[in-house]
Amino acid sequence: MSEIKLTFPDGTVKEFDQGTTTLDVAKSISTSLGKNAIAGKLNDTLIDVERPIKQDGKIEIITGKDDADSLKVLRNTASLVFSAAAKQFKADLHFGEKQANDDGFFVDTDDADQITVDELDSIAEMMNKLIKKNDNVERTLMDKSELVEMFKDDPYKSSLLGAIDSVQIPVYKIDDFIDFGYDAVLPNIKNLKHFKLLSVAGAYWQGKSSNPMLQRIYGTAFFKQDDLDADMKRRAEIKERDHRTIGRELDLFFVDPEVGAGLPYWMPNGATIRRVIERYIIDKEVAWGYQHVYTPILMNLNAYKTSGHWEHYREDMFPPMDMGDGEMLELRPMNCPSHIQIYKHHTRSYRELPVRIAELGMMHRYEKSGALSGLQRVREMTLNDGHTFVALDQIQEEFKRTLQLMMEVYADFDITDYTFRLSYRDPANTEKYFDDDEMWNKSQSMLKAAMDDLGLDYYEAEGEAAFYGPKLDVQTKTALGNDETLSTIQLDFMQPEKFKLTYVGSDGEDHRPVMIHRGIVSTMERFIAYLIEIYKGAFPTWLAPTQVRIIPVNNDLHKNYAENLLAELRKKNIRATIDDRDEKMGYKIRDAQTMKIPYTAVVGDDEMADATVSVRKYGEDKSESEYVAMFVDSVAADIRNFSRQGKDKERKI
């Protein structure tokens, strides 16, 4: 029998008979390892513990610990057992794609009589019965032709089989249920003890909106009950903070696929938050020397061919529009070429540099339907964008200024948990990145030197750069613990060259500027989604759609006093409303708390007599009496100070 060579993680190389399994390899090392082995990893690919190994390679033994590989095997098993139980529950069920990942697993299903959320517990009970009845999953190989015949009435399985280029296919059997397409499942399904079926959602077959809509059943599984309990607690927190849920509750925005998937409609409350942020960032940038502009959302396709976006970014762009006279217009996916045209419109002198151009620029991205999510992934977005044109010797100072601007903005929004990532190209990926080694080496070295000179901590990430240059990404932690790029500063030597940008130097000669791309708070859509989840919908006073809710105890007796208070608040540009609905006082106060309004001001006989208001802050149980003038001034100060508590959090470099 032929021999194969397997290399272990410590570098040891051992020979085994061809056709040996991961289980055989584990047992050859120790009895305990054989008992604990649940899968193998051959050349970085998970394989079933009993799958024959027929080639040399690197091997790892997966032992059922709380690592990503072990959890994937466990969740593969959970999705298999779920499918078997669901088929027993609804005999006519068809199955589409499935996946196990870091967040759990999902299985796509299709049937006229679809699974409801209320039926998940019943299916979970059937899963437990199958687990008790079957120690092991029966593993075997079947001819593809036999499987094609078996699944001829299932359009989804038939399609999946058609994509497999093998004569024989590994299959798994539980009772009468047969399935395929798993890289590895547990050798003993009795170890599947701690799982939970979570939810039901819709998903297009293979992620294409032109395909049928299937049901996607989500679940998760862990090796320990404590881990499952902790995950359920985490999911409850995610649900509580989900910007889509809060957006509905506070009437901030909506997205209706019937009128346009990925195209948010901003309701008055959400529009108010957005307007405050837009005014804030424009005023802030103007104070820092930026010239704010407006540019069209349509541009000649040739501009994007010159910039390189058409070559490197085409899949994320909408199809061009043929205007019928040879002109092709494109919905812009980036604002860079637009700001380049602003720069080019005049002859520039070295005395003008840096030239800082900024815009709240609307852009469009051709996002697939399956990727769209609330405000975080949309097809139309407005980017807080800026481009600075500098001389070579101005890069570090401008870089420093941009970072300080970012940190001031973060302080005003009370964003404190962020890190710096230097994002470089992957030299091996010649398709994604502009092919100019000298440019890349020079710009990456400059960016690194600037960060070192500033003394800021950072980490480096290869393959995260834009196609035209390296960048500094500011990575923030979302309320749900995920990393998200909130701000960027990108050096670009390529675009000025492609568009032949120049400025007249002190020597009277033309020189090439360097272009710095920067976004302070990302897109309005993504930034507001981030803030909704960070604040849990309880926006600080300066951002809250309604800052004060006035509640008269009796409309007939106290409405005029409430209106006078409203007038005093509005003189200070404080957003206030009167709740004069024919409802009980307790209901109105609870509603103000539910809507997370920062201040509730109740006015009645005592308040009228003393020229006071009874003030209750959001999240507090007690009310305090304040004189009207003092109350108005305190709310105005709260807004003016960006609702900071205590010391000023502004950070300087």
Side-chain angles (χ1 to χ4, degrees):
M1 182 177 288
S2 299
E3 299 286 316
I4 57 172
K5 293 181 179 180
L6 298 179
T7 304
F8 291 82
D10 64 357
T12 303
V13 179
K14 293 185 178 182
E15 291 189 350
F16 294 89
D17 290 336
Q18 189 180 56
T20 195
T21 67
T22 299
L23 185 60
D24 296 331
V25 173
K27 287 179 178 177
S28 74
I29 296 172
S30 72
T31 303
S32 62
L33 186 60
K35 289 180 180 178
N36 293 327
I38 64 167
K41 199 171 186 181
L42 184 67
N43 296 327
D44 297 322
T45 300
L46 279 173
I47 60 170
D48 205 74
V49 73
E50 294 181 3
R51 187 171 300 177
I53 303 172
K54 299 180 180 180
Q55 65 192 66
D56 297 345
K58 298 182 300 180
I59 191 163
E60 296 178 51
I61 311 296
I62 309 302
T63 57
K65 303 217 174 139
D66 297 323
D67 57 79
D69 290 328
S70 298
L71 286 172
K72 184 175 182 183
V73 175
L74 179 71
R75 291 163 181 170
N76 276 340
T77 310
S79 67
L80 172 64
V81 176
F82 162 78
S83 299
K87 189 70 173 176
Q88 287 187 3
F89 191 74
K90 292 184 184 289
D92 294 331
L93 206 63
H94 292 154
F95 296 97
E97 294 178 304
K98 55 185 174 287
Q99 186 182 111
N101 52 41
D102 292 343
D103 196 47
F105 67 87
F106 68 75
V107 179
D108 289 347
T109 66
D110 185 32
D111 183 52
D113 181 20
Q114 294 193 332
I115 294 170
T116 67
V117 174
D118 294 338
E119 293 172 328
L120 293 182
D121 286 344
S122 297
I123 297 175
E125 289 179 15
M126 297 182 73
M127 290 174 66
N128 281 317
K129 289 179 181 178
L130 286 173
I131 292 166
K132 290 177 182 178
K133 181 180 177 182
N134 297 273
D135 284 342
N136 300 306
V137 178
E138 184 181 334
R139 296 160 165 82
T140 188
L141 290 172
M142 288 184 67
D143 288 342
K144 180 177 178 179
S145 58
E146 189 177 352
L147 286 170
V148 168
E149 176 63 24
M150 180 181 296
F151 291 108
K152 65 182 180 181
D153 295 326
D154 187 326
Y156 311 112
K157 288 294 185 187
S158 296
S159 177
L160 293 171
L161 280 168
I164 299 176
D165 186 20
S166 297
V167 175
Q168 287 196 311
I169 297 172
V171 299
Y172 300 86
K173 184 178 180 183
I174 299 178
D175 284 359
D176 295 329
F177 179 79
I178 293 176
D179 203 2
F180 61 89
Y182 301 88
D183 42 24
V185 300
L186 292 174
N188 189 322
I189 63 172
K190 289 197 180 300
N191 289 325
L192 179 61
K193 299 176 181 177
H194 313 295
F195 66 88
K196 179 72 176 177
L197 299 181
L198 299 168
S199 60
V200 179
Y204 289 112
W205 165 237
Q206 297 186 324
K208 296 178 181 178
S209 58
S210 56
N211 286 343
M213 175 69 78
L214 307 185
Q215 273 195 308
R216 179 163 289 180
I217 313 299
Y218 288 95
T220 193
F222 287 89
F223 287 100
K224 300 174 184 175
Q225 184 63 40
D226 286 349
D227 291 337
L228 178 60
D229 291 342
D231 186 64
M232 296 308 295
K233 184 178 180 181
R234 178 186 69 87
R235 290 178 188 277
E237 176 73 8
I238 288 173
K239 186 175 181 180
E240 194 174 342
R241 288 186 182 271
D242 191 318
H243 79 279
R244 295 166 297 184
T245 301
I246 295 173
R248 286 193 299 271
E249 292 171 348
L250 301 186
D251 200 23
L252 302 179
F253 72 93
F254 70 89
V255 180
D256 186 349
E258 293 297 319
V259 293
L263 303 173
Y265 284 73
W266 295 87
M267 298 299 286
N269 286 342
T272 298
I273 296 168
R274 174 171 172 163
R275 185 169 57 252
V276 171
I277 294 172
E278 289 177 343
R279 288 173 176 171
Y280 162 86
I281 199 67
I282 290 173
D283 289 345
K284 177 73 75 172
E285 289 175 341
V286 168
W288 276 75
Y290 284 88
Q291 303 171 70
H292 258 262
V293 300
Y294 295 99
T295 58
I297 63 169
L298 288 170
M299 200 173 200
N300 194 297
L301 179 60
N302 289 331
Y304 296 112
K305 289 183 177 179
T306 300
S307 70
H309 288 98
W310 184 248
E311 179 183 356
H312 295 276
Y313 205 72
R314 187 184 310 182
E315 290 185 359
D316 296 304
M317 297 169 67
F318 277 92
M321 291 173 274
D322 188 344
M323 304 309 292
D325 56 0
E327 182 182 27
M328 301 292 286
L329 292 181
E330 176 67 34
L331 278 170
R332 70 177 174 194
M334 299 287 186
N335 301 311
C336 329
S338 300
H339 292 181
I340 286 172
Q341 298 308 313
I342 295 280
Y343 179 88
K344 285 183 68 175
H345 190 64
H346 295 301
T347 300
R348 303 290 180 172
S349 164
Y350 74 97
R351 298 180 188 277
E352 297 177 66
L353 302 184
V355 173
R356 303 182 185 97
I357 298 168
E359 180 179 11
L360 292 174
M362 185 179 289
M363 310 184 306
H364 293 80
R365 304 277 174 86
Y366 187 57
E367 295 278 5
K368 300 292 175 58
S369 296
L372 299 173
S373 176
L375 294 176
Q376 288 176 327
R377 293 293 293 272
V378 293
R379 287 175 171 155
E380 178 185 276
M381 65 216 73
T382 300
L383 179 65
N384 164 228
D385 209 356
H387 297 89
T388 305
F389 301 87
V390 299
L392 201 62
D393 61 0
Q394 294 175 324
I395 288 176
Q396 182 171 320
E397 183 59 30
E398 191 62 26
F399 192 82
K400 177 179 176 180
R401 280 177 55 87
T402 307
L403 270 178
Q404 187 167 344
L405 169 59
M406 283 182 181
M407 291 177 184
E408 281 194 8
V409 171
Y410 287 4
D412 289 342
F413 285 95
D414 200 23
I415 298 169
T416 57
D417 190 1
Y418 57 88
T419 56
F420 296 116
R421 181 182 77 187
L422 287 183
S423 298
Y424 303 146
R425 69 162 175 168
D426 176 0
N429 192 341
T430 56
E431 291 186 7
K432 178 178 178 182
Y433 297 107
F434 180 64
D435 188 16
D436 186 334
D437 289 341
E438 183 180 355
M439 181 278 287
W440 280 102
N441 293 335
K442 180 179 180 181
S443 55
Q444 289 180 175
S445 297
M446 275 190 161
L447 209 59
K448 181 175 171 60
M451 290 297 289
D452 290 339
D453 287 345
L454 293 170
L456 294 172
D457 293 331
Y458 60 88
Y459 66 98
E460 298 165 290
E462 193 174 272
E464 295 294 336
F467 74 84
Y468 47 76
K471 57 180 177 170
L472 171 73
D473 289 321
V474 183
Q475 300 295 108
T476 59
K477 283 285 187 185
T478 69
L480 310 182
N482 301 318
D483 269 343
E484 184 171 288
T485 301
L486 187 57
S487 306
T488 61
I489 309 175
Q490 304 171 4
L491 293 187
D492 187 351
F493 292 77
M494 183 193 82
Q495 299 286 355
E497 189 69 36
K498 282 179 168 285
F499 283 93
K500 303 189 183 330
L501 303 185
T502 60
Y503 67 91
V504 179
S506 58
D507 57 2
E509 300 294 326
D510 284 346
H511 296 269
R512 193 77 75 207
V514 178
M515 189 174 176
I516 300 177
H517 307 246
R518 47 104 289 195
I520 301 297
V521 293
S522 186
T523 66
M524 289 298 106
E525 290 75 14
R526 180 168 286 190
F527 187 54
I528 292 173
Y530 168 80
L531 292 179
I532 290 171
E533 295 182 354
I534 285 289
Y535 298 142
K536 218 171 183 176
F539 285 91
T541 307
W542 74 284
L543 284 175
T546 300
Q547 295 163 325
V548 179
R549 172 75 61 82
I550 304 168
I551 302 177
V553 174
N554 183 300
N555 287 335
D556 293 333
L557 300 176
H558 310 122
K559 179 74 176 290
N560 287 340
Y561 186 75
E563 288 176 343
N564 290 334
L565 174 58
L566 179 66
E568 291 300 311
L569 289 165
R570 288 183 172 174
K571 284 179 185 178
K572 298 278 190 177
N573 294 318
I574 295 168
R575 296 185 291 277
T577 59
I578 296 174
D579 188 347
D580 57 1
R581 292 175 296 172
D582 188 20
E583 299 284 356
K584 292 182 179 180
M585 175 73 62
Y587 174 85
K588 292 182 181 181
I589 292 174
R590 286 193 300 274
D591 184 63
Q593 293 286 301
T594 299
M595 295 303 291
K596 305 186 179 183
I597 295 169
Y599 294 93
T600 302
V602 176
V603 293
D605 289 340
D606 292 341
E607 287 75 26
M608 285 180 60
D610 299 334
T612 61
V613 292
S614 178
V615 180
R616 179 175 177 177
K617 294 181 180 179
Y618 171 73
E620 296 184 1
D621 295 328
K622 294 181 179 179
S623 299
E624 293 185 1
S625 180
E626 294 185 33
Y627 288 109
V628 168
M630 292 180 63
F631 171 63
V632 173
D633 286 345
S634 67
V635 175
D638 188 5
I639 295 166
R640 188 169 56 250
N641 195 42
F642 301 108
S643 306
R644 293 189 183 105
Q645 299 298 318
K647 65 180 182 179
D648 192 331
K649 296 174 181 174
E650 182 177 315
R651 178 178 172 185
K652 301 286 187 184
I653 295 178

